[in-house]
Each structure stands twice: as C-alpha cells, then as structure tokens.
Amino acid sequence: MATRGLMVRSSKKDGSKNKPRKDLPSWCACWRKKYVAGDPNSWNDTCRTVDYIYRVVQPHGTKLVLALVEDPEEYVVLAEEQIYALRKRIYIDSGAVVNLQMSDLKVSLKNLAKVVYEAAWGYYLNKVNQVKYKLQHTGSGGFEALHVRYWFKMGIYAEFVQDWEAALKAIRTAYELIVSLVAPVPGRETQFFQWSAERDVVAEHLSLKICSLLFQSRATEDAIRHFRRHIQAFRVCPENMPHAFLAWHEGWLSRQYNLFGKLLLPRTGMASGIDIPVSHHPGWYIFSAVQHMAKRRSVLINLVSNSSEGFSREDHGLLLHDGIFLGQQMRQDGTAPTEKEWLLFTAKKESSIDHDPIILGALSTVLDLLKNTNLPRVKHVAVFLLAREHIRAGDHATAVELLVSILKEYRVWQWDAASIEALQLLRECYQRLGYNVQHALCSLELCTFQETLGTALCTAIFDSTIAIVRDFSLQDSVEWEIKARSELSTSLCCLAGFDAPSVGVAPLEGRPQVFRVSIFSYFPQALDVTGIKAVMADQACSHISCKENQPTILKSLSWTTWTFMAVRDTPGTLECVRVLVEVANQVFFIWNLPGSLGWNSAMLTQGWVPREGAFTSLRQRLDVSPSKEKCGLKIESGATAYCGDFFPLEIEISTFDEGLQEAHLEFSCGGSSASAVAFYSSGSDGAVLQLSDGCARIGYVPPMKATRHKIFCKTSASEDFLIHVQISFLDGKSRCHVQATQEVTFLRPFELSSRIISKHGHYPLLREKKKSLPVGVECMLVTSLRVPECGADLHIQSIMLEGPKDGAVVVVQQHQLADVKSGGTMLKKGETISCPFCIRAEAPGEDIQIGALKVLWSRVGGPSSHVETVLQLPHESTSETLLHVNFSCPESTAVRESFLARCIIRNCTGISQELSFAVGDSTSFALTGVKQDHLYVLPGAELAVSLQFLALVCGWQTLPPIRFEALDGQAKLSIQEEVYILPTPL
C-alpha cells in the first residue's frame, strides 16, 4: 500500500513552509513533546502548522496522523486539554495521535506504522466510493472508454486495500468493455491505426493484471483460460493492412506470449522430469513469442522492399512522443498525428530493432525450459529454428551440432517432412564448411524420401552424389559405419543371424551352422556389390565362408540376402560381430552388431522382415555344446532382489551316464552390478563352498545324480537383470561348458506413507486456511512401512528419522521398536508397521524437506548382515504460529462431579494478539463461569483460561467445543476432547 511519512517542522530558515504532497493517502506529522508542551509561543506555532497541513490535505481526502516524540531524558507531560485541542483542529479520533517513546522505539514505530496503514486504508476506501459515484452518474451511451478508466481505478484501489475478489471483478469488467469496443472502419475514419494500437495496449495491461490476480489466488487454470481468450479476441488483424501496422501487431502478440510465459514460470516449477500439459508450460508461451517475433521480422523485410507504402530508412524528420494515455502517440505540439504520420513513425521505430539477437536469446531460454519435459515436438521445433537463426548469423558449426541432434530423433519417430527440411539445411552447412564426406552422407539419406520428394528428384540427387563419392575415393577407399540413428540408418537396414535350430537338435562342435545376412535398401537405384564379409567374435576357433552364386546387386526397395556357413571347432559361443558390404570396390558399408541386438535395424521394429521364411526366427548368437552331452544345468525358479540385500538362487546339476571330472561352477550377472558373495551346497554332506571371483570348485560329480545348490547374491541394481550360471568340466583334454540364464526381478523393500497430526493437548492457531506444519510447535509424524505382497518376510532392526541438514525441521523424539533386543520386529508379506516421531518446525516456508527415514533390516532366512534403506519423506509447507494453546483436563471423572479444564495460551509472535473465546453448548456437561470473552495476549506472554465443568451423563462424552478466533477472522481454532464419565466416584 502506498503510504508516506513526512517530518514537518514549524518553519525553515528562510521562513517558508514545507508544502506536503497532495497525491498520498496518508501523512504523518511529528513533533517533540517539549516543543508542544513548552511556552505559549511554541504551542501557537504548533497549532498554526497543524492548521496549515490540514487545510492542504483535507480537500484531497488525505488522512493525517500526528506523532508526539517523547525523549526519555526529558520528562514532559502533555495536558489532556492540549491533546484534545490537537484532535479537534483536524477532526480526528484519539487513535490518530500516537506517542513515540524513544526508550521503546521499535514497539512505538510498529504502532505508528499500524495507524498510518489504517489511515491509508480508509483513504483508498473513500476513493473507491468516489469512483463508484462517478460511474453511477455517467451516461451509458458513448462513454465506454470513460467506464473502462473508472472500473480500472476501482480495481486498483480494491487491490490496495487487499480486496482481491473485488479487484479481479472490477478489472475484468474493464477488460470486457475494452473487448466490446467497436473499432473505426479502416479508410473511412482517420484514426483507425492509432485507435487500434491504443486499445490493444490497454487490453494488454488489463489482461496482465487479471492474470497476476488469478495467479496470486492460485487459480492457474483460470489464468490460462483467460489468456487464451485474450489472444483469441485480439489475434485477428483486418485484411490488407499496411506492413507497418502488421509489424506492430506481430510485435504486440509476441509481447503477450512472452509476458505471460514469464508470469507462469514461477508458478509451475521446473523440476526435471515433470509431466505437465503444453498449455501449462512457460516454455511453450515463450516459444510462441519467438514465432511471432520471426513473423514480425519477415513483415519488416517486406516493408523495406515494398516502396508503395512510401517508407524508406532515411530520416523523415517526424518525431512523436508518448501521450498521456497508454499506447497514445502525440506530436511535439500536443496534437494527434495523422494516420500516415503514425504509420511512418511506427515503421521507422520497428525497423530500428535488431531481431536476430533477441530471437537467439529467446530460443536458448526456451530450450533451457524444455529440458527433461514431455514436450519433444516443441523442443525439436525450437532446436530447428535455433539452427536456422545460427545459419542466418553465419555460425554454421553450431547449426550443424543442433541439426545432427534433432535428426537422430526424427529418424526414430519417422518425421519425413521435418527430416527433409533438416537434411537440406545440414547439406547447406556442410557445403559452406567444406565437409565433402558429410555432405555426401546427407545427400544419400535425402534421396531415400522418394514418396515425398518424387522419384525423379531423388534419382538425380543419388546419381550426383555417387559421382562425387567416386571422385574423392579414387585415392583411398571410403568406410561408412552405420549406427543406430546415424546418417545411413534409415537408408540401409541390415538383418544378420543364424537359422533357428530344429526342435531337439542342439548346435554341436564341428558342425556347420547357416548364417544369413539380409540388407534392405531405400536408395532409388541398385548398388553394385563387389564383396560381402561377416566377422565372428572368436576367430581362432570359428570359421565362416560365403556360399557360391551369391547376389552381386543390392536391390532397391527390397531385401537382398547372402548365405554363409559358420563352424566352431570347440564348445562355446558362435557370434557374429561385424558385417561389411563393399560397393564398386570403393565404398564399404559397415555394421557392428552388439551382442544384445540380433540386428541393427530401426525399421525392423515396425514389422519389416525379409521375405524368406527362414529369417523369421534368426538368432544373433548360438551356444555350441560338446559333441556328446554329459550333464544338465537347470535353474529351478525365479528370484526377487532388493537393492543391497542378499537373495537366494536355487540351481540343479544333473549328470547322465558319465560323471564330471574337475567340475567348476561359474556365476556372473550380465548387465548389472550384482555379484556372488557365498555358495552353499545342499547335498548330503552339507559342505559349504566359497565363491572366488564368481567361481566355486566342485571336483568330481558321480554319474546319474542330481544335486541342488543355493547361491546367495547381493546386488546394488535398481532394475531387473539377468544371471548367468555355467558349469565347466574336463572332457579328455578339452574343457566343456553348459550354461543357463535366469531373470531376476528387482523389488523395493517397503511402501512408505506418512501423515502429520497434532500432539495430544497441543493446538496451534494458524493464519493460513490450508493445512500446514506449524512453526515452533511439537507435532507427531506417523510413518507406515508396508512390505509388498510379492516381497519376502523381513526383520526390522531399527527405524530412525534423520532431519534435514538445513535445520528447518528438528526431530524431538525418535521411535523405539518394542522387541529390538530379541533381533528386531518381523514383518511378513503384506504386513504394515507404524512408527510415530515427534518433530518441530523451526522456520516458515513452502516445500520444506521433512527428512529421511533410515531403516535397518534383513531378510528372514538369509545371511545375518543387515541392509540400510533410506526413504525420503514428502515435502511439507510450514506456516508461522500465531498462538499455541495447551489444553489439559482429567481423563475420567464421575457423574455430578465438577472438574477443571485449563487452556494455557502462549503468544508466539512479536506483537500483541487479540482474540475471542467462546464455549459451545452441550447436553452432557454444564459450565460454570464465563462462557465467552475477549482475550488480549502480549508478545511472548502466556495467558491461562480455566473452565469449571459438571458431568451430567456417564460413558465416553465429548466436551463442549472451545473456540478461539482472531479478531480479523482469518485464524480460527476449535478444541474438542473426550472424557470418560463414571457412574459413581472410584
């Protein structure tokens, strides 16, 4: 609220008076008491000064406050008649005369500020009534613009007095009047352009004020809905408008989106990974502002090139300045300019803006806001526009980095139109930078979009690119590795693998296995294949050769297949890791096949398969067994794992007609951080074998025997993973292997839920209506831990609550488990344990971290070591406590016996608090004494309220509600406790 304080003295050295300002809602005049209560001349001088100030401020409705400063070293007593005379001169009540005691200056200044604040409040209320009177006595026809002004002033005054609902209603009424104004007809009335600009600027200020008030009321949905309606009402521009007005209008639209995006930014929060709609993201609005800014720049380019509008960059000698109203332009002599003058001045002003750095900075801001969001289309369009701006600025290297990054996503999502546009820009950048190889790669990828660009154009691009490649590959061959989402990943797709073995027939050592390579080409023409090669992983004991009469042409828009024969001399894994295709003895296309992928083709996931039936079940790798099987390895069942915990895995080893010599059990976890820590044999001997580097020596295993073993594993993984178990044994001079794989499911040990309740007998009085944690009051945090149904039985050793490091929340009392000495509390699957903690908030704030719950536990039936799991508690908001009420009464009494209930009220603030106290009606109790009263609690003091009740009914009975309410009505508290009433005294 706009308030000012002024120190007024009786006179200056030159004898002139201090003239107060006339546009302020309240004034404060200060005198030292000894000058007021001194000799008659000082008293008369004070009275004359008060009369002068009152005559100046009284016609404008300004409120006047008198402050008398009392020096502790000078004891001065001011007579009651003198104070009454001062009040009578300015026609004010006694509350507007304030004593400032220098001995307690802090409290005195607070009282003075409160009085000045209340005076200013009354001033603005009077202003609201004055504007209402003017609005009621103003005609309805032809005075719409004046009504807009009056409604806007009413809204501003209502905002000053913090009447948010009235302020929003008044400013919305002004906005509706602006929207309903009828624009002049272009070409018939001379002030159409300036009238439209002035209306749009006024509507902009009203709309921003409405959105600010809605955001302040936490009505984000209403604010977004209003902004959409605002843009819809003013987006359309009449046809055949001059370029200068179109440029101004696009700049105005850009400013609307930019300002609203900045208003929305602090309300939504930009935590990473947040899923919010596009209409709720500030980045989308700033991105829309950039789009309108680009349109504005293109309109200005057309304006300069269009000579029919009479604009040139030369100085026209016309100077306009801002008028007294929003959006108004005036001549130097104060007259309104003509339409042509306004357009020429606007064109000159718009053309002086350098849009390039503005657009670059705005697009960078958009990308920062869109990181880790669920708006990939908006983000990639923004990256594309940023690349175009860098090309416009001559920074082709930065543009290449941006285009390459978005092309990877375009290839996955198959956005053909966007990919073509990005590839054309990328070709231009490579050409300007002199990167011939990269330019050829982009050209080869571009010619694969035959459905969009046409066969003729794609064929021409392909022929020219092949000719260029032949020129710069004469001296040396060219090798292009095709990776996922790379330049040629959508041009050539490779599928490679072994034929699936027949049912019941396992791959054996020394026997050839059929290996096929199939390539799908999207090039508009066929390629001459001069060589093809497949490379195996273990080349020392693996051999592969291509069959005769293989294709020599890589067909266009179809699969071309080559067949190989692969042989492994010893047991192990037969795996292809690389495929090379040589074209025209100059260009090599290379695919590196990772072990986790059966092929390197993004198109295969969309249903693209070779026409040959044998390819429908290809395998990337084959496990080659010995020529005669001697044992079997089986994992009995799946397992579940917790992070940091030991989990069991049961396996079975079975032998056939021969036993195993020098047998070893090897254990590994593929693609995770799991590791084996111990191995236990469950055989008849009960021997315990320790794993060393994931391997345990078994020795000799007799024939025709099946043994079960249990492996305990420990993992720090946070997702499902695979476990590989292999038994190796000696067969003659060579070592053979048998493998088995099992998937392990990762689980979370607990499901956490929490709630905060008041401590018994402790009740805080908060000003906020929403539920929050009170500051300085002890509360109970009740946490519940539940073991999932799909988990395992657990032993809970301890549960500790650790407060945040910043000290915003203090843990007063920890929870102790009842049977911790006997090894902890046991929780079975689906069971829940509740743990209460006593906490206290130290400072008010939003989104305060409560702390973390540390649980020490172990699996039932597993190793004795314990695992510590840290669970983060949800954030809470804290609010300042006005009053703290400590209620106490007996837990039980007898019928017709009186008992005493006591409320101790403590003021937790630095100012005095006034509140009302009342006791409700009840049929179970009778109250003797005061039923309601007004209480006044000093800062930091305590006040006791005693109530004498008489029990009338036996059993569990609820006491009458005891209500406390602040005098401003913004903080309320109701206390209801239960007492057990006996039929007769014990």
Side-chain angles (χ1 to χ4, degrees):
M1 182 177 293
T3 58
R4 300 287 180 89
L6 175 66
M7 181 68 70
V8 181
R9 295 180 295 180
S10 60
S11 63
K12 299 172 71 174
K13 291 185 178 180
D14 56 357
S16 62
K17 302 288 184 180
N18 284 327
K19 295 184 178 181
R21 291 177 58 182
K22 303 177 182 180
D23 57 345
L24 299 178
S26 59
W27 284 84
C28 177
C30 302
W31 280 272
R32 297 182 65 176
K33 264 190 176 182
K34 67 177 183 179
Y35 294 143
V36 178
D39 57 280
N41 292 332
S42 299
W43 168 254
N44 293 333
D45 192 11
T46 301
C47 292
R48 286 194 301 270
T49 305
V50 171
D51 293 340
Y52 168 73
I53 296 175
Y54 183 74
R55 285 195 304 272
V56 172
V57 302
Q58 191 272 339
H60 303 281
T62 304
K63 305 297 182 179
L64 184 61
V65 178
L66 301 181
L68 303 178
V69 181
E70 181 178 347
D71 195 343
E73 297 180 356
E74 301 176 359
Y75 180 73
V76 179
V77 178
L78 192 63
E80 185 66 27
E81 293 80 3
Q82 292 177 312
I83 298 178
Y84 176 76
L86 292 176
R87 294 201 305 267
K88 187 175 180 181
R89 288 180 178 276
I90 58 177
Y91 302 98
I92 59 176
D93 56 357
S94 58
V97 178
V98 182
N99 289 324
L100 289 179
Q101 299 182 6
M102 302 301 293
S103 59
D104 195 0
L105 185 59
K106 185 176 181 180
V107 177
S108 300
L109 289 177
K110 286 185 177 180
N111 295 333
L112 177 60
K114 181 178 179 182
V115 173
V116 174
Y117 180 83
E118 293 175 352
W121 189 291
Y123 170 83
Y124 287 120
L125 290 179
N126 292 337
K127 285 293 185 181
V128 171
N129 295 329
Q130 292 176 9
V131 176
K132 286 183 179 179
Y133 179 81
K134 292 180 181 180
L135 188 61
Q136 293 173 357
H137 291 79
T138 304
S140 58
F143 294 96
E144 289 81 2
L146 187 59
H147 289 177
V148 172
R149 176 181 176 85
Y150 286 157
W151 280 108
F152 180 71
K153 292 180 68 175
M154 288 175 59
I156 294 301
Y157 291 144
E159 186 180 4
F160 285 165
V161 298
Q162 299 181 359
D163 190 354
W164 313 117
E165 184 176 355
L168 181 61
K169 180 179 179 181
I171 296 179
R172 270 184 167 172
T173 304
Y175 180 81
E176 295 297 335
L177 290 174
I178 280 291
V179 174
S180 63
L181 289 179
V182 180
V185 179
R188 296 183 181 179
E189 302 185 35
T190 58
Q191 297 298 325
F192 168 77
F193 299 116
Q194 183 158 345
W195 184 92
S196 300
E198 185 176 347
R199 180 201 60 180
D200 292 353
V201 173
V202 173
E204 171 189 343
H205 284 75
L206 293 176
S207 176
L208 287 176
K209 178 56 69 175
I210 292 173
C211 293
S212 300
L213 291 174
L214 289 174
F215 280 135
Q216 185 174 350
S217 304
R218 301 182 183 274
T220 304
E221 293 286 347
D222 294 340
I224 294 174
R225 196 178 299 112
H226 166 79
F227 180 76
R228 287 182 175 178
R229 180 174 175 270
H230 171 65
I231 293 297
Q232 190 67 25
F234 294 94
R235 177 190 297 274
V236 180
C237 190
E239 297 180 356
N240 300 325
M241 289 290 102
H243 287 83
F245 183 76
L246 290 177
W248 183 92
H249 184 69
E250 292 294 338
W252 182 85
L253 286 174
S254 175
R255 188 166 64 251
Q256 307 309 298
Y257 282 104
N258 188 41
L259 293 176
F260 186 77
K262 292 180 179 178
L263 279 178
L264 185 62
L265 180 59
R267 272 81 182 180
T268 56
M270 287 299 102
S272 61
I274 293 181
D275 290 340
I276 59 177
V278 64
S279 60
H280 290 60
H281 203 291
W284 183 83
Y285 292 97
I286 300 179
F287 174 70
S288 301
V290 173
Q291 290 180 316
H292 285 285
M293 183 66 68
K295 292 180 182 179
R296 181 186 188 187
R297 181 177 60 187
S298 62
V299 171
L300 288 175
I301 294 175
N302 295 333
L303 172 64
V304 175
S305 61
N306 190 0
S307 59
S308 61
E309 297 188 10
F311 170 75
S312 64
R313 293 185 178 272
E314 299 178 358
D315 190 2
H316 294 278
L318 176 65
L319 291 177
L320 301 180
H321 62 87
D322 295 336
I324 59 175
F325 298 107
L326 286 175
Q328 190 181 54
Q329 300 292 333
M330 304 293 292
R331 293 196 187 102
Q332 295 296 329
D333 56 359
T335 60
T338 63
E339 289 287 74
K340 184 175 181 180
E341 292 176 344
W342 188 88
L343 289 174
L344 289 175
F345 178 76
T346 303
K348 179 182 177 181
K349 184 177 179 181
E350 293 288 331
S351 62
S352 63
I353 301 175
D354 188 5
H355 296 83
D356 295 345
I358 299 176
I359 295 177
L360 280 173
L363 286 174
S364 301
T365 303
V366 171
L367 293 180
D368 291 338
L369 295 176
L370 293 177
K371 284 183 178 179
N372 302 324
T373 59
N374 59 337
L375 304 175
R377 292 181 179 269
V378 180
K379 180 172 65 177
H380 287 90
V381 173
V383 173
F384 181 77
L385 293 180
L386 183 61
R388 296 189 64 173
E389 292 298 325
H390 281 293
I391 293 175
R392 183 186 181 92
D395 189 0
H396 295 87
T398 305
V400 165
E401 296 178 2
L402 296 173
L403 291 173
V404 168
S405 65
I406 61 174
L407 269 173
K408 293 181 180 179
E409 307 297 333
Y410 288 171
R411 296 184 184 106
V412 176
W413 297 329
Q414 297 185 3
W415 292 356
D416 291 350
S419 299
I420 291 172
E421 194 171 0
L423 284 171
Q424 290 174 345
L425 287 180
L426 193 58
R427 288 180 67 203
E428 178 184 349
C429 295
Y430 283 145
Q431 186 176 5
R432 292 184 177 273
L433 294 173
Y435 296 164
N436 296 329
V437 176
Q438 289 79 359
H439 182 271
L441 287 173
C442 287
S443 301
L444 289 176
E445 184 175 4
L446 186 63
C447 69
T448 59
F449 296 95
Q450 302 181 45
E451 295 182 359
T452 305
L453 298 178
T455 305
L457 179 59
C458 291
T459 303
I461 297 175
F462 178 78
D463 293 339
S464 61
T465 305
I466 292 298
I468 294 174
V469 171
R470 288 173 179 172
D471 290 339
F472 65 74
S473 63
L474 291 177
Q475 299 178 357
D476 194 4
S477 60
V478 178
E479 294 183 358
W480 284 333
E481 181 181 354
I482 302 178
K483 300 180 181 179
R485 300 191 297 177
S486 64
E487 290 82 356
L488 296 177
S489 60
T490 56
S491 304
L492 293 173
C493 299
C494 177
L495 179 62
F498 297 91
D499 283 356
S502 302
V503 178
V505 178
L508 300 178
E509 55 181 321
R511 295 184 182 181
Q513 305 295 327
V514 178
F515 182 79
R516 303 180 190 272
V517 174
S518 186
I519 299 177
F520 191 93
S521 172
Y522 289 89
F523 292 132
Q525 293 185 8
L527 297 177
D528 295 332
V529 177
T530 56
I532 184 167
K533 184 179 180 182
V535 180
M536 293 294 147
D538 191 358
Q539 300 184 34
C541 54
S542 301
H543 309 282
I544 188 168
S545 59
C546 185
K547 283 189 175 183
E548 298 180 355
N549 301 323
Q550 295 298 316
T552 58
I553 297 296
L554 184 57
K555 301 177 183 179
S556 174
L557 299 179
S558 63
W559 289 95
T560 305
T561 305
W562 289 265
T563 304
F564 297 82
M565 301 304 294
V567 179
R568 182 171 178 89
D569 299 333
T570 60
T573 301
L574 195 57
E575 179 182 6
C576 179
V577 295
R578 201 177 196 194
V579 173
L580 298 91
V581 176
E582 183 182 15
V583 177
N585 295 317
Q586 294 173 336
V587 180
F588 287 89
F589 297 106
I590 303 173
W591 287 269
N592 288 318
L593 305 180
S596 59
L597 293 177
W599 45 81
N600 190 7
S601 172
M603 300 298 298
L604 205 61
T605 60
Q606 320 233 338
W608 289 90
V609 295
R611 296 178 182 177
E612 289 78 359
F615 276 71
T616 58
S617 57
L618 285 184
R619 294 185 179 182
Q620 172 72 30
R621 51 192 295 174
L622 289 178
D623 294 331
V624 178
S625 303
S627 59
K628 185 178 180 182
E629 296 183 357
K630 295 187 177 183
C631 74
L633 181 63
K634 180 181 178 182
I635 300 179
E636 285 295 313
S637 61
T640 58
Y642 297 124
C643 181
D645 175 39
F646 295 91
F647 63 95
L649 185 70
E650 296 183 359
I651 63 173
E652 179 182 280
I653 302 176
S654 57
T655 58
F656 303 110
D657 54 349
E658 296 181 10
L660 303 182
Q661 302 290 336
E662 295 292 330
H664 289 78
L665 188 65
E666 299 175 2
F667 172 83
S668 64
C669 297
S672 72
S673 55
S675 59
V677 295
F679 174 81
Y680 299 92
S681 173
S682 58
S684 58
D685 54 356
V688 177
L689 303 179
Q690 296 293 332
L691 283 176
S692 175
D693 295 330
C695 180
R697 183 180 180 277
I698 301 177
Y700 173 74
V701 180
M704 305 300 293
K705 182 179 180 181
T707 58
R708 293 178 179 270
H709 303 271
K710 180 181 289 186
I711 298 175
F712 278 90
C713 314
K714 185 176 182 180
T715 177
S716 59
S718 59
E719 59 185 8
D720 299 349
F721 55 92
L722 294 177
I723 289 184
H724 305 286
V725 180
Q726 175 178 279
I727 184 170
S728 63
F729 53 91
L730 196 62
D731 184 15
K733 296 183 179 180
S734 61
R735 180 163 289 277
C736 303
H737 308 275
V738 178
Q739 297 181 350
T741 303
Q742 177 64 45
E743 183 178 7
V744 178
T745 304
F746 174 81
L747 294 176
R748 298 187 181 277
F750 304 103
E751 296 175 357
L752 173 65
S753 61
S754 63
R755 58 191 178 95
I756 298 176
I757 60 176
S758 299
K759 197 174 181 181
H760 179 70
H762 296 263
Y763 300 90
L765 186 64
L766 307 177
R767 185 171 298 276
E768 287 80 4
K769 296 182 180 180
K770 64 181 181 179
K771 185 177 179 181
S772 57
L773 185 63
V775 175
V777 179
E778 295 182 0
C779 297
M780 299 303 297
L781 172 65
V782 181
T783 60
S784 298
L785 296 178
R786 180 180 180 273
V787 178
E789 294 287 349
C790 57
D793 298 344
L794 303 179
H795 269 303
I796 309 298
Q797 181 68 21
S798 65
I799 302 177
M800 301 292 292
L801 177 63
E802 183 179 13
K805 296 181 180 180
D806 56 1
V809 177
V810 177
V811 181
V812 180
Q813 184 178 0
Q814 297 281 355
H815 174 73
Q816 297 293 334
L817 295 178
D819 48 352
V820 65
K821 296 182 179 179
S822 60
T825 301
M826 179 178 176
L827 281 185
K828 295 185 178 181
K829 293 182 290 186
E831 291 185 350
T832 303
I833 183 173
S834 297
C835 303
F837 300 89
C838 184
I839 62 174
R840 182 178 67 251
E842 298 295 333
E846 295 290 337
D847 199 22
I848 299 297
Q849 183 180 1
I850 298 300
L853 205 64
K854 291 187 175 181
V855 185
L856 195 63
W857 59 276
S858 61
R859 184 194 292 256
V860 176
S864 59
S865 59
H866 293 87
V867 182
E868 184 181 71
T869 299
V870 180
L871 303 173
Q872 295 294 332
L873 292 168
H875 292 200
E876 298 284 346
S877 61
T878 60
S879 58
E880 185 179 4
T881 306
L882 299 181
L883 297 170
H884 176 225
V885 180
N886 188 358
F887 180 83
S888 61
C889 68
E891 295 182 356
S892 63
T893 183
V895 176
R896 297 182 182 178
E897 280 192 1
S898 62
F899 62 96
L900 185 66
R902 186 178 179 86
C903 297
I904 300 178
I905 307 169
R906 180 168 59 90
N907 189 350
C908 300
T909 64
I911 59 176
S912 301
Q913 299 290 339
E914 298 182 55
L915 68 156
S916 63
F917 154 77
V919 181
D921 298 327
S922 175
T923 58
S924 303
F925 297 88
L927 173 67
T928 60
V930 179
K931 190 173 183 180
Q932 60 182 4
D933 197 1
H934 287 277
L935 306 178
Y936 187 86
V937 187
L938 296 176
E942 292 185 352
L943 180 64
V945 176
S946 300
L947 301 173
Q948 193 78 21
F949 290 98
L950 180 65
L952 303 178
V953 182
C954 62
W956 280 106
Q957 303 296 331
T958 303
L959 289 175
I962 305 173
R963 301 184 181 91
F964 297 89
E965 182 178 359
L967 292 185
D968 56 2
Q970 297 185 8
K972 299 180 181 180
L973 173 64
S974 179
I975 300 176
Q976 285 187 303
E977 294 279 351
E978 287 189 345
V979 179
Y980 187 78
I981 309 301
L982 300 171
T984 58
L986 293 177

